[in-house]
Amino acid sequence: MKKTSAKVMQTGESVGQLAWKKLRRHRAGSIGMIIVGLLTLIAITADIISPFNPVSQVLEYSLKPAMFRGNALHVKNPSNPELPIVIPIKEFHQQGDSVFYVDFSGRADAQPLIAMHGTSAQEFHSRPLYILGTDAFGRDLLSRVLHGARISLVVGVLSQALALLIGIVLGATAGYFRGKTDGIIMWVCNVVWAFPTILLAILFSIALKTANDAFGFSLDAFWQTFIAIGISSWVDIARVVRGQFFSLREMEYVEATRALGYGATRTIFRHILPNALGPIIVLSTAGIASAVIIEASFSFVGLGIQKPQPSWGILIFDGYGYISNPDNWGLAVFPSIAIALAVYGFNLLGDGLNDAFDPKSLRR
Amino acid sequence: MTFFILRKILYAASVLLGVITTTFVITYVLPGDPARLMLGQRADPESVASLQRQLGLDRPLWEQYGSYIAKLAKGDMGRSFSTNRDVMGSILERFPATALLSLSAMALSTVIGILLGIIAAARPNSWLDTALMSTALLGISLPSFVVGTMFLLLFGVTLRWTPISGYIDTGWNHLLLPMITLALRPLSVIARVTRSSMLEALSQDYIRTARAKGASVPSILLRHALRNALNPVITTISSWLAGLLAGTVFIEYIFNWPGIGMVALDAILKLDYPMIQGTVQFTAIIFVLVNLLVDVTYAFLDPKVKLS
């Protein structure tokens, strides 16, 4: 292993480059990276890869089991040409200018051909496959889970960004100035730390919601949720950053910035912070994971993000009532698996990053 | 020593004051008018005003704050909006259920977590170590409501091994599923901490000496390494112990366990502010007290702590 350090000397790689190299060789970290990468891809392309529109309802197909295959005609929708009306049928045949069919309830009916979405049976008739089944409103669960990735990840990342902002500023200030400033900031940390994070986040969320309703801010549930989670989960970051600053501020290069007459802000953000990034990155991956969990927990108390598309938490909560139903247990289980996989992915990545940034393992 | 303990108690008290003030500010200043919330949106202004007077809401904020603190010192957390019962009484009534659940879960995760950590550390990077540690990471990753749901489905509904909900008054087996669900996360964390701390200890010179002397493997692992590796493990356990009260919220909801978590969720669903405030404050107070107790115990056990 000594070879590596010799090579480092020759090529002069930065800590970041080294960490990246080690992360790629780290098995758990690589798996985590792949999971997180795939989820990000799903979140971005949810509209393209989803087999159905996640909010379009076919009430006849409510609560169908996984791998259910429908049988449907598509009729032009006067209010939205993009989204044809779906008529679930049992059978149909085309005769002249009309399409005759037996609908889901067994009633015979007909539509003129010009009312159909498309001109041939290939276009207006389909046998849609609901891979994970449907929910109570006949919406495709797979499409909803895929779209849920978007909401859950965005909330996770945004709330963590807010937590990082607060945590870094407070932690850096405490660690750099020490003394009384440190004492006050650590006291605030201890106070926030004493609250159970989930309950504090819920409390903030209710407060934001009420403030929103009372003062007419335009903060919808999405903003309320990520702000509430962000301002409740910065304590760990502040503590770690403070610890880093405690040791880093004794380094010679920090003394040099003082000799050069740089201000505190410049020293903190330009010179110390970049050297403290490793542990911060590690913490924030774990932080995203727990933010996803907190967001999901919100839906248990009716605070989750419902519109326009649901988060995973809402999906679990909505599916919860069907858990002992032999056909529909998937409504709660599939989004649960999605959350577990996402959180596992972020934690694996965090583990890999931890080892990659660990100076002890640099030496080995 | 007395001075050390006194300082710790004073600090804990100041943190408690911070906690109380924060909850006061969040629940009283931000979310509108409790009187209107109690009476509903359609109540006439006179009855709202009279209730405001009765609750002291017409007085200036600092006066309200003062009387709030004074009442709290007497253990009075107000009355529930929805049941009109004494908040403190309702919480104390539910406390044993939550304490039983968290303490049993903590005992389970301590024993099994340390055991798994030792097994993993005995052969680092073997398949067993990798399997145990990946499972432990999965245990950390699974949200409690997901695990609870899965356990409920598997053991309660499909296999019918355990009852699906309820309290121990109708049989001790009601404790099983919620306890295991709650234990899973701390168990995983303790296993990981034990493993890394054991590995650190096993790389020390005194272990080499013990090996050279011909000490048996179990004796090296348990008598020489574990004793020196326990410190970070105990820190982890104590911090989980303090926070576990809050961790029971969703598990109590899923398994219909009549503890504080149920009360808290119920209060949140009903926007019952005094009750929300009470449960949040109670969990925070327990957290601070347990931490204080741990700090002081530490100081007795380890003389180095006092000095730092």
Side-chain angles (χ1 to χ4, degrees):
Chain A
M1 279 298 178
K2 257 189 182 151
K3 251 184 175 169
T4 331
S5 61
K7 225 170 97 194
V8 174
M9 287 307 189
Q10 286 160 15
T11 52
E13 287 162 306
S14 72
V15 177
Q17 283 168 323
L18 257 180
W20 169 239
K21 245 189 183 169
K22 284 169 72 184
L23 179 64
R24 277 183 307 178
R25 256 182 280 139
H26 195 279
R27 199 192 303 155
S30 310
I31 297 173
M33 228 177 351
I34 292 170
I35 296 176
V36 171
L38 275 177
L39 282 171
T40 315
L41 204 66
I42 288 174
I44 294 169
T45 59
D47 289 323
I48 304 165
I49 57 173
S50 294
F52 297 89
N53 183 323
V55 292
S56 79
Q57 307 180 351
V58 181
L59 291 175
E60 289 86 347
Y61 290 162
S62 100
L63 296 175
K64 291 298 174 197
M67 299 312 281
F68 169 77
R69 197 177 270 285
N71 188 356
L73 291 177
H74 301 268
V75 180
K76 274 181 192 153
N77 185 350
S79 56
N80 184 358
E82 294 285 305
L83 199 72
I85 296 167
V86 178
I87 305 179
I89 55 166
K90 285 191 168 148
E91 55 183 41
F92 84 102
H93 63 275
Q94 193 181 341
Q95 202 171 20
D97 292 347
S98 299
V99 177
F100 295 90
Y101 61 90
V102 178
D103 76 4
F104 201 69
S105 58
R107 199 168 52 93
D109 208 338
Q111 290 278 350
L113 193 57
I114 47 162
M116 305 307 288
H117 188 80
T119 48
S120 68
Q122 276 102 341
E123 284 178 78
F124 61 71
H125 174 245
S126 69
R127 310 246 13 216
L129 176 65
Y130 294 88
I131 294 173
L132 299 185
T134 59
D135 71 359
F137 296 95
R139 296 174 292 202
D140 176 44
L141 182 60
L142 176 64
S143 308
R144 288 171 75 73
V145 171
L146 293 177
H147 275 83
R150 183 178 288 178
I151 308 282
S152 293
L153 290 192
V154 169
V155 169
V157 170
L158 283 183
S159 56
Q160 198 52 33
L162 183 62
L164 276 177
L165 185 74
I166 304 174
I168 288 178
V169 169
L170 288 182
T173 314
Y176 184 80
F177 293 105
R178 299 194 279 197
K180 271 212 176 100
T181 322
D182 179 41
I184 294 167
I185 291 176
M186 284 324 282
W187 181 81
V188 175
C189 280
N190 280 322
V191 169
V192 178
W193 199 47
F195 285 100
T197 311
I198 285 186
L199 287 185
L200 186 65
I202 289 174
L203 214 60
F204 273 130
S205 179
I206 295 175
L208 282 168
K209 193 172 177 230
T210 324
N212 184 41
D213 298 347
F215 303 114
F217 299 154
S218 46
L219 289 176
D220 58 12
F222 177 78
W223 288 82
Q224 289 164 19
T225 304
F226 99 75
I227 293 177
I229 298 175
I231 51 181
S232 317
S233 41
W234 51 267
V235 175
D236 286 338
I237 299 167
R239 279 170 187 266
V240 168
V241 172
R242 169 179 175 266
Q244 288 280 308
F245 269 63
F246 257 58
S247 55
L248 287 175
R249 84 187 293 282
E250 304 301 331
M251 306 293 267
E252 275 168 7
Y253 66 83
V254 176
E255 212 177 309
T257 63
R258 241 172 271 140
L260 286 165
Y262 291 170
T265 323
R266 178 167 178 173
T267 307
I268 289 174
F269 289 102
R270 296 279 303 273
H271 300 281
I272 305 184
L273 194 58
N275 288 293
L277 271 185
I280 297 175
I281 292 173
V282 174
L283 259 187
S284 41
T285 41
I288 293 175
S290 60
V292 169
I293 295 183
I294 297 176
E295 189 282 319
S297 322
F298 268 34
S299 34
F300 271 84
V301 286
L303 292 166
I305 298 164
Q306 192 100 47
K307 284 171 185 173
Q309 283 130 11
S311 69
W312 284 332
I314 290 280
L315 289 179
I316 298 177
F317 186 64
D318 284 350
Y320 199 71
Y322 305 97
I323 193 84
S324 50
N325 198 330
D327 278 346
N328 306 112
W329 48 265
L331 285 175
V333 172
F334 291 125
S336 299
I337 293 174
I339 286 202
L341 195 68
V343 176
Y344 194 42
F346 275 107
N347 279 336
L348 281 173
L349 181 61
D351 247 27
L353 285 168
N354 194 23
D355 289 350
F357 278 111
D358 186 359
K360 268 193 227 154
S361 70
L362 273 179
R363 262 186 270 124
R364 266 183 228 143
Chain B
M1 193 65 185
T2 326
F3 179 70
F4 171 82
I5 294 175
L6 209 66
R7 219 181 51 198
K8 281 276 169 199
I9 291 175
L10 274 179
Y11 191 76
S14 80
V15 169
L16 275 185
L17 192 68
V19 166
I20 291 162
T21 313
T22 313
T23 5
F24 176 82
V25 170
I26 298 178
T27 41
Y28 269 65
V29 182
L30 273 174
D33 185 351
R36 186 155 282 284
L37 276 164
M38 280 172 88
L39 295 170
Q41 288 304 322
R42 262 171 263 159
D44 58 300
E46 285 101 79
S47 43
V48 172
S50 93
L51 187 65
Q52 275 178 340
R53 262 195 307 283
Q54 199 188 322
L55 292 172
L57 295 171
D58 53 341
R59 284 181 293 157
L61 185 68
W62 61 268
E63 239 177 77
Q64 281 188 49
Y65 177 68
S67 74
Y68 176 74
I69 298 278
K71 270 191 193 162
L72 197 65
K74 283 183 278 176
D76 180 3
M77 288 179 160
R79 287 186 171 277
S80 157
F81 282 178
S82 62
T83 60
N84 198 29
R85 287 191 53 204
D86 172 39
V87 169
M88 189 65 141
S90 314
I91 292 176
L92 287 179
E93 187 186 292
R94 300 294 191 96
F95 180 59
T98 301
L100 171 69
L101 182 57
S102 359
L103 289 177
S104 60
M106 210 55 227
L108 182 75
S109 50
T110 303
V111 173
I112 299 186
I114 292 180
L115 194 70
L116 292 183
I118 295 173
I119 294 174
R123 295 194 187 285
N125 299 321
S126 64
W127 66 268
L128 187 62
D129 175 33
T130 314
L132 280 177
M133 285 307 114
S134 331
T135 317
L137 193 63
L138 191 65
I140 295 171
S141 304
L142 291 170
S144 60
F145 51 89
V146 169
V147 182
T149 310
M150 304 272 182
F151 279 0
L152 200 67
L153 199 61
L154 187 63
F155 299 113
V157 178
T158 312
L159 298 170
R160 292 175 192 279
W161 287 355
T162 52
I164 50 172
S165 75
Y167 190 53
I168 50 162
D169 49 2
T170 48
W172 277 93
N173 52 359
H174 280 93
L175 179 63
L176 275 175
L177 282 190
M179 176 180 74
I180 296 172
T181 312
L182 184 61
L184 204 62
R185 263 168 91 90
L187 190 157
S188 309
V189 175
I190 291 169
R192 279 162 61 98
V193 172
T194 309
R195 175 187 179 267
S196 66
S197 175
M198 279 290 282
L199 285 182
E200 185 83 39
L202 282 170
S203 69
Q204 302 293 320
D205 285 343
Y206 57 79
I207 296 293
R208 210 170 49 184
T209 311
R211 281 218 178 95
K213 275 189 350 191
S216 69
V217 175
S219 155
I220 290 176
L221 284 177
L222 300 177
R223 285 193 46 207
H224 299 269
L226 184 64
R227 280 192 188 178
N228 291 291
L230 270 183
N231 235 350
V233 180
I234 292 171
T235 316
T236 312
I237 294 171
S238 59
S239 78
W240 269 95
L241 189 64
L244 215 57
L245 220 51
T248 62
V249 174
F250 294 102
I251 292 168
E252 288 182 5
Y253 174 80
I254 288 171
F255 294 102
N256 205 10
W257 187 264
I260 294 178
M262 277 278 268
V263 182
L265 264 193
D266 198 47
I268 290 166
L269 288 171
K270 289 178 181 149
L271 286 185
D272 184 348
Y273 288 120
M275 208 67 192
I276 298 177
Q277 212 169 12
T279 46
V280 169
Q281 242 155 37
F282 188 79
T283 25
I285 290 170
I286 296 284
F287 182 88
V288 174
L289 289 182
V290 171
N291 268 318
L292 177 68
L293 211 65
V294 169
D295 278 354
V296 173
T297 319
Y298 245 48
F300 273 111
L301 296 178
D302 185 357
K304 272 185 287 180
V305 173
K306 263 182 301 188
L307 300 171
S308 61

